[in-house]
Amino acid sequence: MIMSGGVGSRFWPFSKEGKPKQFLDFFGTGRSLLQSTYDRFSKIVPPENIYIVTNDAYAEMTQQQLPELGKSQLLLEPLRRNTAPAIAFATYRIHAVDPDANIIVAPSDHLILREDLFSADMRNGLAFVEKNPVLLTLGIRPSRPETGYGYIQVEGDNGEGIEKVKAFTEKPDLELAKKFLESGEFMWNSGIFLWNVNTILNAFRSYLPDVVQKFDEGKEYFNTPREKQFVDETFPFCPNISIDYGILEKADNVYVNISDFGWSDLGTWGALHEISERDENNNANLNCKALFIESSDNVVAMSDDKLVVIQGLDDCIVAESDNVLLICKKNEEQRIKQFVTDVKFRFGDEYV
Amino acid sequence: MIMSGGVGSRFWPFSKEGKPKQFLDFFGTGRSLLQSTYDRFSKIVPPENIYIVTNDAYAEMTQQQLPELGKSQLLLEPLRRNTAPAIAFATYRIHAVDPDANIIVAPSDHLILREDLFSADMRNGLAFVEKNPVLLTLGIRPSRPETGYGYIQVEGDNGEGIEKVKAFTEKPDLELAKKFLESGEFMWNSGIFLWNVNTILNAFRSYLPDVVQKFDEGKEYFNTPREKQFVDETFPFCPNISIDYGILEKADNVYVNISDFGWSDLGTWGALHEISERDENNNANLNCKALFIESSDNVVAMSDDKLVVIQGLDDCIVAESDNVLLICKKNEEQRIKQFVTDVKFRFGDEYV
């Protein structure tokens, strides 16, 4: 179950509502983040068992990028309602296809560097959730006091590399993040989850009954021609709530597989800058041609047919897509969403 | 005689060799600088008497921008040889058409704000050079101690607003420019000249005999079908020399018409910034949509379908054309030519 409905506004204008982050080839590899995610999972599970959950608006783009995908593998939300309703929708479909299925839930827009370790963790996790009625998260052993991620605190080692979760935390400030790192008890929450279809359905019934109540009413429609209409009618009544907040932070059967496969959620320009190749002055250039002169610590994201010449610029984001160019201090990137709102208000939808 | 062969590399990448400054609509008026220059002169002289001197490479672009221009009005240099040879070429043609012609020589890429004053000066000047065998320059009364222009020193008032020239000066440093401004004796050299065809031919014979010697050998070819071949064969042997250095600084019959019609040579980003509309933080945006946040003293030149969002940037040039984006400190603009050379060397001709 690949979650592919995000709008990626943090990387505006490199990503836009019309073409969000997961559909972009961030690193000039020739494959978008979604395609890379699909490629990764198609080596772990039968490709026909891969479901892409996305928004109606991205149906065509998804089919263009993944022409091998069967129509029934594309689960389309009529509107955005955060991860809990999206996962509920896909869970009901998968249950209708296979009432004993073990499920991996994964974001479509993350970077994973060591696929061999990732695959081993996935296979290990699938075996674990098949035998145990638990909600298994993937926790990344932190390498730096990152303030941009949520953390998962673990209780103690159970001998299998899979530990019981003590608590989920919000993004910490730097001081707290340093303490998390020192303690060894805190893992980055990767947003990758594994569970058996019945385990997650039970959790929904316990913690988000209002989400599943509606789906239960029409559960005979899933995996039939009437599914789409039913979902379209049901989705607007679902609450806007994340799976983390709605279930994982509340359930008592949550475990974490501690992983170390070179992961980034590519959630911020700063994170992107960190993991990109950089020149001797710490300038990262994603995939265009660039000449940096007396410039340092910049990150540049332009289409690959562009040449950029930058002189006397430090600590900036330079990002472009089609009709929009953004130049912005890297440490002000949390304001980009506000810029997008301002642009929409002043200049209209065509730029966002 | 509109001089339109320049490559405009100072405004790279907004202007490029393939589309230099004079062919660009700098201010979003709907007409390029060349078109505006043509429009201006077509109200002063019969349009069929306007000649455009440009490079072979720009023949098509010139005809596209000025479809009303007869083919014979386009004088094509086979290669670049500065202003003296270009003016000699056009002078021989004009002499063949009308051996008594009075000529205005004008750059194609300057800005003139007050057309009424400009037209009056042109008509006044044409009448003056018809009666007097002099080389008349247009001097602009300076409004600031500009270091980017050459200056013309005048001897004294002759009562007609036209004075005898004492000396030409190179671009001064700021201290000297301030003294020029205080003295009242120094005018900006606009590069606009008026003279009778015989006066300039005599000056060529006196001061640049090697330029005209070749043209004299084939003077019967001008304004005939054999002209183009003759010029193509002759031009490579002309020295690379400007009319200012080759004739005006040496001749003793040079006068200046002191003018005040709101002029800029648009020769630098700084000059462009000065004369453009600016927001309350001194940001100039030539013709695209722009949102400036915590930014000041920038100049932005992008195509008009673009939106630019700039945060935390000061004193910069942001210029783009097709496949190239330049971000550069405004006070380093004299290095742009070097950037162009570097880009050509490292990435090839397609970007310059």
Side-chain angles (χ1 to χ4, degrees):
Chain A
M1 185 191 304
I2 298 176
M3 312 301 289
S4 184
V7 297
S9 60
R10 280 186 292 193
F11 285 99
W12 181 88
F14 190 61
S15 64
K16 291 184 183 171
E17 263 185 44
K19 192 165 189 177
K21 182 186 160 204
Q22 61 272 25
F23 297 105
L24 296 173
D25 177 8
F26 257 68
F27 301 101
T29 61
R31 299 287 278 172
S32 72
L33 295 175
L34 171 63
Q35 289 173 319
S36 298
T37 303
Y38 179 89
D39 295 347
R40 197 181 300 127
F41 280 110
S42 64
K43 293 170 202 155
I44 299 169
V45 303
E48 64 272 21
N49 287 5
I50 298 177
Y51 294 88
I52 312 284
V53 187
T54 189
N55 191 279
D56 272 332
Y58 305 137
E60 202 178 326
M61 202 179 301
T62 306
Q63 283 172 320
Q64 276 168 5
Q65 294 208 348
L66 298 173
E68 59 273 59
L69 204 71
K71 264 208 157 169
S72 69
Q73 294 170 262
L74 196 57
L75 305 188
L76 298 174
E77 307 166 274
L79 37 74
R80 294 179 215 292
R81 278 290 182 273
N82 213 325
T83 49
I87 289 173
F89 167 18
T91 301
Y92 274 80
R93 159 67 82 80
I94 289 172
H95 186 265
V97 174
D98 177 355
D100 297 317
N102 299 301
I103 300 172
I104 304 170
V105 178
S108 58
D109 57 354
H110 290 183
L111 177 73
I112 282 155
L113 293 175
R114 300 201 50 187
E115 286 211 6
D116 51 339
L117 295 182
F118 178 78
S119 297
D121 279 338
M122 289 299 114
R123 292 202 179 90
N124 190 34
L126 284 173
F128 189 77
V129 300
E130 183 169 14
K131 284 179 289 183
N132 303 289
V134 303
L135 305 172
L136 181 64
T137 64
L138 262 279
I140 312 293
R141 201 179 290 282
S143 54
R144 58 179 191 275
E146 173 66 54
T147 58
Y149 295 147
Y151 284 72
I152 304 173
Q153 187 180 11
V154 299
E155 263 182 7
D157 201 325
N158 70 357
E160 292 189 69
I162 293 180
E163 307 195 9
K164 187 129 183 8
V165 170
K166 196 163 158 188
F168 285 79
T169 71
E170 299 290 311
K171 294 173 186 177
D173 62 19
L174 186 60
E175 203 184 348
L176 193 56
K178 283 178 180 167
K179 284 186 186 150
F180 284 1
L181 186 63
E182 278 165 28
S183 77
E185 271 184 29
F186 290 82
M187 307 299 148
W188 291 335
N189 182 356
S190 70
I192 303 171
F193 312 118
L194 298 94
W195 42 56
N196 181 273
V197 66
N198 295 301
T199 312
I200 190 65
L201 281 175
N202 288 335
F204 267 109
R205 290 200 177 95
S206 300
Y207 304 105
L208 288 175
D210 50 341
V211 170
V212 290
Q213 188 192 348
K214 292 272 172 191
F215 285 112
D216 264 341
E217 282 170 18
K219 69 178 180 182
E220 70 273 22
Y221 300 136
F222 283 91
N223 204 30
T224 75
R226 296 183 60 183
E227 176 188 287
K228 176 68 177 148
Q229 192 194 337
F230 173 73
V231 170
D232 284 355
E233 287 167 7
T234 305
F235 230 72
F237 298 100
C238 288
N240 193 321
I241 195 165
S242 75
I243 195 81
D244 298 68
Y245 181 74
I247 292 181
L248 297 175
E249 294 181 17
K250 296 182 173 111
D252 55 8
N253 60 337
V254 185
Y255 284 73
V256 58
N257 184 95
I258 298 172
S259 300
D260 200 10
F261 43 67
W263 169 88
S264 169
D265 80 342
L266 301 176
T268 64
W269 284 107
L272 195 59
H273 183 253
E274 288 267 341
I275 56 116
S276 298
E277 222 179 301
R278 282 159 285 169
D279 70 11
E280 65 277 17
N281 295 311
N282 207 30
N283 295 299
N285 164 32
L286 291 189
N287 55 17
C288 70
K289 295 184 179 71
L291 194 58
F292 292 99
I293 301 148
E294 294 133 21
S295 297
S296 63
D297 304 297
N298 299 292
V299 54
V300 171
M302 316 270 293
S303 61
D304 58 5
D305 56 344
K306 278 265 174 159
L307 169 72
V308 188
V309 177
I310 292 178
Q311 183 274 330
L313 195 75
D314 299 306
D315 302 304
C316 279
I317 298 157
V318 177
E320 187 183 49
S321 172
D322 305 333
N323 56 355
V324 181
L325 170 69
L326 170 73
I327 305 171
C328 164
K329 286 288 176 193
K330 239 173 41 247
N331 58 12
E332 297 288 340
E333 69 165 295
Q334 72 283 0
R335 292 167 63 197
I336 293 175
K337 282 187 180 188
Q338 185 58 47
F339 300 161
V340 176
T341 306
D342 291 352
V343 162
K344 201 164 179 168
F345 179 72
R346 290 187 48 178
F347 301 110
D349 287 347
E350 68 200 279
Y351 298 103
V352 302
Chain B
M1 185 191 303
I2 299 176
M3 312 300 288
S4 184
V7 296
S9 60
R10 279 186 292 194
F11 285 99
W12 181 89
F14 191 59
S15 65
K16 291 185 182 172
E17 262 186 46
K19 192 165 190 178
K21 182 186 160 204
Q22 61 271 25
F23 297 105
L24 295 173
D25 177 8
F26 257 68
F27 301 101
T29 61
R31 298 288 277 171
S32 72
L33 296 175
L34 172 63
Q35 289 173 318
S36 298
T37 303
Y38 179 89
D39 296 347
R40 198 180 300 127
F41 280 109
S42 64
K43 294 170 202 155
I44 299 168
V45 303
E48 65 271 21
N49 287 7
I50 297 177
Y51 293 90
I52 311 285
V53 187
T54 189
N55 192 278
D56 272 332
Y58 305 136
E60 203 177 326
M61 202 178 303
T62 306
Q63 283 172 319
Q64 276 169 5
Q65 294 208 348
L66 298 173
E68 59 273 59
L69 204 71
K71 264 209 157 170
S72 69
Q73 293 170 263
L74 196 57
L75 306 187
L76 297 173
E77 307 166 275
L79 37 74
R80 294 178 214 292
R81 278 290 182 272
N82 213 325
T83 49
I87 289 172
F89 168 18
T91 300
Y92 275 78
R93 159 67 81 82
I94 289 171
H95 185 264
V97 174
D98 177 356
D100 296 317
N102 299 302
I103 300 173
I104 303 170
V105 178
S108 57
D109 57 353
H110 291 182
L111 176 73
I112 282 155
L113 292 176
R114 300 201 49 187
E115 286 210 6
D116 52 338
L117 295 183
F118 178 79
S119 297
D121 280 338
M122 289 299 113
R123 292 201 180 91
N124 190 34
L126 283 172
F128 189 77
V129 300
E130 183 169 15
K131 285 179 288 182
N132 303 289
V134 302
L135 305 171
L136 181 63
T137 64
L138 261 281
I140 312 294
R141 201 179 291 284
S143 54
R144 58 179 191 276
E146 174 64 55
T147 59
Y149 296 146
Y151 284 70
I152 304 173
Q153 188 181 11
V154 299
E155 264 182 7
D157 201 327
N158 70 358
E160 293 188 69
I162 292 180
E163 307 194 9
K164 185 126 181 15
V165 169
K166 196 163 158 189
F168 285 81
T169 70
E170 299 289 312
K171 294 173 186 178
D173 61 19
L174 185 60
E175 204 184 348
L176 193 55
K178 283 178 180 167
K179 285 188 184 146
F180 284 2
L181 186 62
E182 278 165 29
S183 77
E185 270 184 31
F186 290 82
M187 307 298 149
W188 291 336
N189 182 355
S190 70
I192 303 170
F193 312 119
L194 298 94
W195 42 56
N196 182 273
V197 65
N198 296 300
T199 312
I200 190 65
L201 281 175
N202 288 335
F204 267 109
R205 290 203 176 92
S206 301
Y207 304 106
L208 288 176
D210 48 343
V211 170
V212 291
Q213 187 192 348
K214 291 274 172 190
F215 285 112
D216 265 341
E217 282 170 19
K219 68 178 181 183
E220 70 274 22
Y221 301 137
F222 284 91
N223 203 30
T224 77
R226 296 184 60 184
E227 176 188 287
K228 174 69 178 148
Q229 192 193 337
F230 173 73
V231 170
D232 285 354
E233 287 166 7
T234 304
F235 229 72
F237 298 100
C238 288
N240 193 321
I241 195 165
S242 74
I243 195 80
D244 298 68
Y245 182 74
I247 292 182
L248 297 174
E249 295 181 16
K250 297 183 172 110
D252 54 8
N253 60 337
V254 185
Y255 285 73
V256 58
N257 184 95
I258 299 172
S259 301
D260 200 11
F261 44 65
W263 168 88
S264 169
D265 80 343
L266 300 177
T268 64
W269 284 107
L272 195 59
H273 183 253
E274 288 266 341
I275 56 116
S276 298
E277 221 179 302
R278 283 160 284 169
D279 70 11
E280 65 278 16
N281 296 312
N282 207 30
N283 295 300
N285 163 34
L286 291 190
N287 55 17
C288 70
K289 296 184 178 72
L291 193 59
F292 292 99
I293 301 148
E294 294 133 22
S295 296
S296 63
D297 305 296
N298 299 292
V299 54
V300 170
M302 317 271 292
S303 60
D304 57 6
D305 56 345
K306 278 266 175 159
L307 168 72
V308 188
V309 177
I310 292 179
Q311 182 275 328
L313 195 76
D314 299 306
D315 302 302
C316 279
I317 298 157
V318 177
E320 188 182 47
S321 172
D322 305 333
N323 57 355
V324 181
L325 170 69
L326 170 73
I327 304 171
C328 164
K329 286 287 175 193
K330 241 176 35 249
N331 57 12
E332 298 288 340
E333 68 165 297
Q334 72 284 359
R335 293 167 63 197
I336 293 176
K337 281 187 181 188
Q338 185 58 47
F339 301 162
V340 177
T341 307
D342 292 352
V343 162
K344 202 164 180 169
F345 179 71
R346 290 186 48 177
F347 301 109
D349 287 347
E350 69 200 278
Y351 299 104
V352 302

